[in-house]
Structure formats: structure tokens, C-alpha cells
Amino acid sequence: MLLVDLIFLALELCALAAFCYWGFHLKGAETWVRALAGIGSPVLVAVFWGHFAAPKACVPARPLVRFALQLLVFAAAAAILHGSGQRKLATLFLLVAVLEVVLAHKLHKRRPPSV
């Protein structure tokens, strides 16, 4: 379980890095817009994740809803990587993310509730 949790954490950080990369590499945008998008988009995603998608989120969601929200964030990160020209990286990220989210969801369903 620890390995699954560590891989999940790495994917979360990679998703934030993808949003940061996208923001700083906006084509045709002025420098201040790229800086705002490069810093602001990962912050917004992190706040969203912490409030709704994290296992100990501020707004508790049922496991299936949390599962869908996590997939949504990872799919959005892959989409912006793809749109930024990083097609192979986006495909690899999405593949690993989907496998990891499904695996984590299945394993955590079997885990006894912690006190």
C-alpha cells in the first residue's frame, strides 16, 4: 500500500508540474500572462484537489465521486501536456495515472477503515 500511495503522490506532483509547464509555455501570450498561468493554474488545481479529490479532503466525497474527480484532474493534466506539444509524455502520464487511480481505488476499497 505504501508504494501505491507514493506513486499516487508522484502523480499528483507531476500533474501540478504539467499545469505549471503549460502556463509558462503559452504561445503568443505576454510574459505576465504566462507567469500568472504558470503559477496560478497549479495553485488552483492544488486547492481543488485538497478540497474535493484528496483522501482527507475538506469536503468529503463518496469514494466513487473522489475517484472520478481524481481521474478528471489527471486527464486535464494529460490534455494540457498534449496541447503543449508533449504528446508522448501526455500519453504515458495518462496511462500510468489511470492504472494507478484504478489500482488505488480497488485497494482502498478492501482496506479496513482506520480509526
Side-chain angles (χ1 to χ4, degrees), residues 34-77:
R34 287 192 309 238
L36 184 63
I39 295 168
S41 62
V43 168
L44 289 175
V45 171
V47 168
F48 174 81
W49 187 274
H51 274 75
F52 302 106
K56 295 182 181 178
C58 297
V59 179
R62 294 190 332 216
L64 194 57
V65 173
R66 188 172 62 243
F67 172 75
L69 292 174
Q70 290 169 344
L71 281 178
L72 177 71
V73 170
F74 291 144

Short mmCIF file of all heavy atoms in Angstrom, two decimals, residues 34-77:
data_model
loop_
_atom_site.label_atom_id
_atom_site.label_comp_id
_atom_site.label_asym_id
_atom_site.label_seq_id
_atom_site.Cartn_x
_atom_site.Cartn_y
_atom_site.Cartn_z
N ARG A 34 1.85 34.55 -19.00
CA ARG A 34 2.49 33.23 -18.81
C ARG A 34 2.86 33.01 -17.36
O ARG A 34 2.67 31.92 -16.82
CB ARG A 34 3.72 33.11 -19.71
CG ARG A 34 3.37 32.94 -21.17
CD ARG A 34 4.58 32.55 -21.97
NE ARG A 34 5.68 33.46 -21.69
CZ ARG A 34 6.30 34.19 -22.58
NH1 ARG A 34 5.99 34.11 -23.84
NH2 ARG A 34 7.28 34.99 -22.24
N ALA A 35 3.39 34.05 -16.71
CA ALA A 35 3.74 33.92 -15.29
C ALA A 35 2.50 33.67 -14.43
O ALA A 35 2.51 32.81 -13.54
CB ALA A 35 4.48 35.17 -14.81
N LEU A 36 1.43 34.40 -14.71
CA LEU A 36 0.19 34.22 -13.96
C LEU A 36 -0.38 32.82 -14.17
O LEU A 36 -0.78 32.15 -13.22
CB LEU A 36 -0.83 35.28 -14.38
CG LEU A 36 -2.14 35.29 -13.61
CD1 LEU A 36 -1.90 35.62 -12.15
CD2 LEU A 36 -3.09 36.30 -14.23
N ALA A 37 -0.39 32.34 -15.41
CA ALA A 37 -0.91 31.00 -15.70
C ALA A 37 0.01 29.92 -15.14
O ALA A 37 -0.46 28.90 -14.63
CB ALA A 37 -1.07 30.82 -17.21
N GLY A 38 1.32 30.14 -15.23
CA GLY A 38 2.29 29.16 -14.74
C GLY A 38 2.28 28.98 -13.24
O GLY A 38 2.55 27.90 -12.73
N ILE A 39 1.96 30.05 -12.54
CA ILE A 39 1.89 29.98 -11.08
C ILE A 39 0.46 29.73 -10.60
O ILE A 39 0.22 28.93 -9.70
CB ILE A 39 2.46 31.27 -10.44
CG1 ILE A 39 3.94 31.40 -10.78
CG2 ILE A 39 2.22 31.29 -8.94
CD1 ILE A 39 4.54 32.74 -10.46
N GLY A 40 -0.48 30.39 -11.25
CA GLY A 40 -1.87 30.32 -10.81
C GLY A 40 -2.56 29.01 -11.07
O GLY A 40 -3.31 28.51 -10.22
N SER A 41 -2.32 28.41 -12.24
CA SER A 41 -3.04 27.17 -12.55
C SER A 41 -2.67 26.01 -11.61
O SER A 41 -3.58 25.32 -11.14
CB SER A 41 -2.86 26.78 -14.02
OG SER A 41 -1.52 26.53 -14.34
N PRO A 42 -1.40 25.80 -11.28
CA PRO A 42 -1.12 24.73 -10.31
C PRO A 42 -1.69 25.02 -8.92
O PRO A 42 -2.13 24.10 -8.22
CB PRO A 42 0.40 24.63 -10.26
CG PRO A 42 0.92 25.51 -11.30
CD PRO A 42 -0.17 26.34 -11.82
N VAL A 43 -1.72 26.29 -8.54
CA VAL A 43 -2.29 26.64 -7.24
C VAL A 43 -3.79 26.34 -7.22
O VAL A 43 -4.30 25.74 -6.26
CB VAL A 43 -2.02 28.13 -6.90
CG1 VAL A 43 -2.84 28.58 -5.70
CG2 VAL A 43 -0.55 28.37 -6.66
N LEU A 44 -4.49 26.71 -8.29
CA LEU A 44 -5.93 26.42 -8.36
C LEU A 44 -6.20 24.91 -8.35
O LEU A 44 -7.13 24.45 -7.68
CB LEU A 44 -6.53 27.06 -9.60
CG LEU A 44 -6.66 28.57 -9.58
CD1 LEU A 44 -7.16 29.09 -10.93
CD2 LEU A 44 -7.56 29.03 -8.46
N VAL A 45 -5.39 24.17 -9.08
CA VAL A 45 -5.56 22.71 -9.11
C VAL A 45 -5.28 22.12 -7.73
O VAL A 45 -6.01 21.23 -7.27
CB VAL A 45 -4.66 22.07 -10.19
CG1 VAL A 45 -4.66 20.56 -10.08
CG2 VAL A 45 -5.12 22.50 -11.57
N ALA A 46 -4.25 22.61 -7.05
CA ALA A 46 -3.92 22.10 -5.71
C ALA A 46 -5.04 22.41 -4.72
O ALA A 46 -5.38 21.56 -3.88
CB ALA A 46 -2.60 22.70 -5.23
N VAL A 47 -5.63 23.59 -4.81
CA VAL A 47 -6.74 23.94 -3.92
C VAL A 47 -7.95 23.05 -4.22
O VAL A 47 -8.59 22.53 -3.30
CB VAL A 47 -7.10 25.44 -4.06
CG1 VAL A 47 -8.42 25.76 -3.37
CG2 VAL A 47 -5.98 26.30 -3.50
N PHE A 48 -8.25 22.86 -5.50
CA PHE A 48 -9.35 21.97 -5.88
C PHE A 48 -9.11 20.56 -5.35
O PHE A 48 -10.00 19.93 -4.77
CB PHE A 48 -9.51 21.95 -7.40
CG PHE A 48 -10.52 20.95 -7.88
CD1 PHE A 48 -11.86 21.25 -7.86
CD2 PHE A 48 -10.13 19.70 -8.33
CE1 PHE A 48 -12.80 20.33 -8.29
CE2 PHE A 48 -11.05 18.77 -8.76
CZ PHE A 48 -12.40 19.09 -8.74
N TRP A 49 -7.89 20.07 -5.55
CA TRP A 49 -7.54 18.72 -5.11
C TRP A 49 -7.71 18.59 -3.59
O TRP A 49 -8.29 17.63 -3.10
CB TRP A 49 -6.10 18.39 -5.52
CG TRP A 49 -5.72 16.97 -5.24
CD1 TRP A 49 -5.23 16.47 -4.07
CD2 TRP A 49 -5.81 15.87 -6.14
NE1 TRP A 49 -5.01 15.12 -4.20
CE2 TRP A 49 -5.35 14.74 -5.46
CE3 TRP A 49 -6.22 15.75 -7.47
CZ2 TRP A 49 -5.30 13.48 -6.05
CZ3 TRP A 49 -6.17 14.51 -8.06
CH2 TRP A 49 -5.71 13.39 -7.35
N GLY A 50 -7.19 19.55 -2.86
CA GLY A 50 -7.27 19.50 -1.41
C GLY A 50 -8.69 19.59 -0.87
O GLY A 50 -9.00 19.01 0.17
N HIS A 51 -9.54 20.30 -1.58
CA HIS A 51 -10.91 20.45 -1.11
C HIS A 51 -11.82 19.29 -1.51
O HIS A 51 -12.75 18.96 -0.77
CB HIS A 51 -11.51 21.76 -1.64
CG HIS A 51 -11.20 22.92 -0.79
ND1 HIS A 51 -9.95 23.51 -0.77
CD2 HIS A 51 -11.95 23.61 0.10
CE1 HIS A 51 -9.97 24.51 0.08
NE2 HIS A 51 -11.17 24.59 0.62
N PHE A 52 -11.57 18.69 -2.67
CA PHE A 52 -12.53 17.71 -3.18
C PHE A 52 -11.95 16.32 -3.49
O PHE A 52 -12.66 15.33 -3.34
CB PHE A 52 -13.20 18.24 -4.45
CG PHE A 52 -13.91 19.54 -4.25
CD1 PHE A 52 -13.38 20.71 -4.74
CD2 PHE A 52 -15.10 19.60 -3.53
CE1 PHE A 52 -14.03 21.92 -4.55
CE2 PHE A 52 -15.75 20.80 -3.33
CZ PHE A 52 -15.21 21.97 -3.85
N ALA A 53 -10.72 16.23 -3.97
CA ALA A 53 -10.22 14.97 -4.51
C ALA A 53 -9.26 14.22 -3.59
O ALA A 53 -9.02 13.04 -3.79
CB ALA A 53 -9.54 15.21 -5.86
N ALA A 54 -8.71 14.89 -2.61
CA ALA A 54 -7.75 14.24 -1.71
C ALA A 54 -8.47 13.24 -0.79
O ALA A 54 -9.65 13.41 -0.49
CB ALA A 54 -7.04 15.29 -0.85
N PRO A 55 -7.76 12.19 -0.36
CA PRO A 55 -8.38 11.23 0.55
C PRO A 55 -8.91 11.85 1.84
O PRO A 55 -9.91 11.42 2.37
CB PRO A 55 -7.26 10.23 0.83
CG PRO A 55 -6.37 10.33 -0.35
CD PRO A 55 -6.43 11.77 -0.80
N LYS A 56 -8.24 12.87 2.34
CA LYS A 56 -8.70 13.56 3.55
C LYS A 56 -9.13 14.99 3.19
O LYS A 56 -8.72 15.96 3.81
CB LYS A 56 -7.60 13.59 4.60
CG LYS A 56 -7.25 12.20 5.10
CD LYS A 56 -6.20 12.24 6.17
CE LYS A 56 -5.88 10.82 6.63
NZ LYS A 56 -4.84 10.80 7.63
N ALA A 57 -9.99 15.10 2.18
CA ALA A 57 -10.41 16.40 1.65
C ALA A 57 -11.27 17.16 2.65
O ALA A 57 -11.91 16.57 3.53
CB ALA A 57 -11.20 16.19 0.36
N CYS A 58 -11.27 18.48 2.49
CA CYS A 58 -12.10 19.34 3.34
C CYS A 58 -13.58 19.05 3.14
O CYS A 58 -14.36 19.10 4.08
CB CYS A 58 -11.84 20.81 3.02
SG CYS A 58 -10.17 21.34 3.32
N VAL A 59 -13.95 18.80 1.90
CA VAL A 59 -15.34 18.45 1.56
C VAL A 59 -15.34 16.96 1.25
O VAL A 59 -14.96 16.56 0.15
CB VAL A 59 -15.83 19.27 0.36
CG1 VAL A 59 -17.26 18.89 0.01
CG2 VAL A 59 -15.70 20.75 0.62
N PRO A 60 -15.76 16.13 2.20
CA PRO A 60 -15.69 14.69 1.96
C PRO A 60 -16.63 14.27 0.83
O PRO A 60 -17.76 14.73 0.74
CB PRO A 60 -16.10 14.07 3.29
CG PRO A 60 -16.67 15.16 4.11
CD PRO A 60 -16.29 16.46 3.51
N ALA A 61 -16.12 13.42 -0.02
CA ALA A 61 -16.91 12.89 -1.13
C ALA A 61 -16.93 11.37 -1.04
O ALA A 61 -16.02 10.76 -0.47
CB ALA A 61 -16.30 13.33 -2.45
N ARG A 62 -17.95 10.80 -1.60
CA ARG A 62 -18.01 9.34 -1.64
C ARG A 62 -16.84 8.84 -2.48
O ARG A 62 -16.34 9.56 -3.37
CB ARG A 62 -19.34 8.89 -2.23
CG ARG A 62 -20.50 9.25 -1.33
CD ARG A 62 -21.79 8.63 -1.76
NE ARG A 62 -21.88 8.38 -3.18
CZ ARG A 62 -22.98 8.49 -3.89
NH1 ARG A 62 -24.08 8.85 -3.32
NH2 ARG A 62 -22.97 8.23 -5.18
N PRO A 63 -16.39 7.63 -2.24
CA PRO A 63 -15.23 7.11 -2.96
C PRO A 63 -15.35 7.16 -4.48
O PRO A 63 -14.40 7.49 -5.17
CB PRO A 63 -15.10 5.67 -2.46
CG PRO A 63 -15.72 5.68 -1.11
CD PRO A 63 -16.83 6.69 -1.19
N LEU A 64 -16.53 6.88 -5.00
CA LEU A 64 -16.70 6.89 -6.46
C LEU A 64 -16.61 8.31 -7.02
O LEU A 64 -16.03 8.52 -8.09
CB LEU A 64 -18.04 6.25 -6.84
CG LEU A 64 -18.19 5.89 -8.31
CD1 LEU A 64 -17.08 4.96 -8.76
CD2 LEU A 64 -19.54 5.25 -8.55
N VAL A 65 -17.12 9.29 -6.30
CA VAL A 65 -17.02 10.68 -6.72
C VAL A 65 -15.57 11.14 -6.67
O VAL A 65 -15.07 11.80 -7.58
CB VAL A 65 -17.93 11.59 -5.85
CG1 VAL A 65 -17.71 13.05 -6.17
CG2 VAL A 65 -19.39 11.20 -6.03
N ARG A 66 -14.88 10.80 -5.58
CA ARG A 66 -13.46 11.15 -5.45
C ARG A 66 -12.65 10.50 -6.57
O ARG A 66 -11.77 11.12 -7.16
CB ARG A 66 -12.93 10.74 -4.08
CG ARG A 66 -11.53 11.25 -3.82
CD ARG A 66 -11.05 11.02 -2.41
NE ARG A 66 -10.99 9.62 -2.08
CZ ARG A 66 -11.73 9.05 -1.12
NH1 ARG A 66 -12.56 9.76 -0.41
NH2 ARG A 66 -11.61 7.76 -0.88
N PHE A 67 -12.96 9.25 -6.89
CA PHE A 67 -12.33 8.53 -7.99
C PHE A 67 -12.50 9.30 -9.30
O PHE A 67 -11.54 9.51 -10.05
CB PHE A 67 -12.96 7.13 -8.07
CG PHE A 67 -12.57 6.30 -9.25
CD1 PHE A 67 -11.33 5.70 -9.32
CD2 PHE A 67 -13.47 6.08 -10.28
CE1 PHE A 67 -10.98 4.91 -10.40
CE2 PHE A 67 -13.13 5.29 -11.36
CZ PHE A 67 -11.89 4.71 -11.41
N ALA A 68 -13.70 9.75 -9.57
CA ALA A 68 -13.98 10.50 -10.81
C ALA A 68 -13.25 11.84 -10.83
O ALA A 68 -12.71 12.25 -11.86
CB ALA A 68 -15.48 10.70 -10.96
N LEU A 69 -13.21 12.53 -9.69
CA LEU A 69 -12.52 13.82 -9.62
C LEU A 69 -11.01 13.66 -9.83
O LEU A 69 -10.37 14.48 -10.49
CB LEU A 69 -12.81 14.51 -8.29
CG LEU A 69 -14.24 14.98 -8.09
CD1 LEU A 69 -14.43 15.51 -6.68
CD2 LEU A 69 -14.61 16.04 -9.11
N GLN A 70 -10.45 12.61 -9.26
CA GLN A 70 -9.02 12.35 -9.46
C GLN A 70 -8.72 12.07 -10.92
O GLN A 70 -7.76 12.59 -11.48
CB GLN A 70 -8.57 11.19 -8.57
CG GLN A 70 -8.57 11.53 -7.11
CD GLN A 70 -8.39 10.33 -6.21
OE1 GLN A 70 -8.55 9.19 -6.62
NE2 GLN A 70 -8.07 10.59 -4.95
N LEU A 71 -9.56 11.26 -11.54
CA LEU A 71 -9.37 10.99 -12.98
C LEU A 71 -9.52 12.25 -13.80
O LEU A 71 -8.78 12.45 -14.77
CB LEU A 71 -10.38 9.93 -13.46
CG LEU A 71 -10.07 8.49 -13.13
CD1 LEU A 71 -11.18 7.57 -13.64
CD2 LEU A 71 -8.73 8.06 -13.73
N LEU A 72 -10.43 13.12 -13.41
CA LEU A 72 -10.63 14.38 -14.12
C LEU A 72 -9.38 15.26 -14.07
O LEU A 72 -8.95 15.81 -15.09
CB LEU A 72 -11.83 15.13 -13.52
CG LEU A 72 -12.11 16.50 -14.11
CD1 LEU A 72 -12.66 16.37 -15.52
CD2 LEU A 72 -13.08 17.26 -13.22
N VAL A 73 -8.79 15.38 -12.90
CA VAL A 73 -7.58 16.21 -12.76
C VAL A 73 -6.43 15.61 -13.58
O VAL A 73 -5.73 16.33 -14.30
CB VAL A 73 -7.19 16.35 -11.27
CG1 VAL A 73 -5.81 16.98 -11.13
CG2 VAL A 73 -8.22 17.18 -10.53
N PHE A 74 -6.24 14.30 -13.48
CA PHE A 74 -5.15 13.68 -14.23
C PHE A 74 -5.39 13.74 -15.73
O PHE A 74 -4.45 13.95 -16.51
CB PHE A 74 -4.95 12.23 -13.78
CG PHE A 74 -4.38 12.11 -12.38
CD1 PHE A 74 -4.79 11.08 -11.55
CD2 PHE A 74 -3.45 13.01 -11.90
CE1 PHE A 74 -4.26 10.95 -10.28
CE2 PHE A 74 -2.92 12.90 -10.62
CZ PHE A 74 -3.33 11.87 -9.81
N ALA A 75 -6.64 13.60 -16.16
CA ALA A 75 -6.95 13.71 -17.59
C ALA A 75 -6.73 15.13 -18.09
O ALA A 75 -6.23 15.34 -19.20
CB ALA A 75 -8.38 13.26 -17.86
N ALA A 76 -7.08 16.12 -17.27
CA ALA A 76 -6.83 17.52 -17.65
C ALA A 76 -5.34 17.79 -17.76
O ALA A 76 -4.89 18.48 -18.69
CB ALA A 76 -7.48 18.45 -16.63
N ALA A 77 -4.55 17.25 -16.84
CA ALA A 77 -3.10 17.43 -16.91
C ALA A 77 -2.54 16.79 -18.17
O ALA A 77 -1.69 17.37 -18.85
CB ALA A 77 -2.44 16.83 -15.67
#
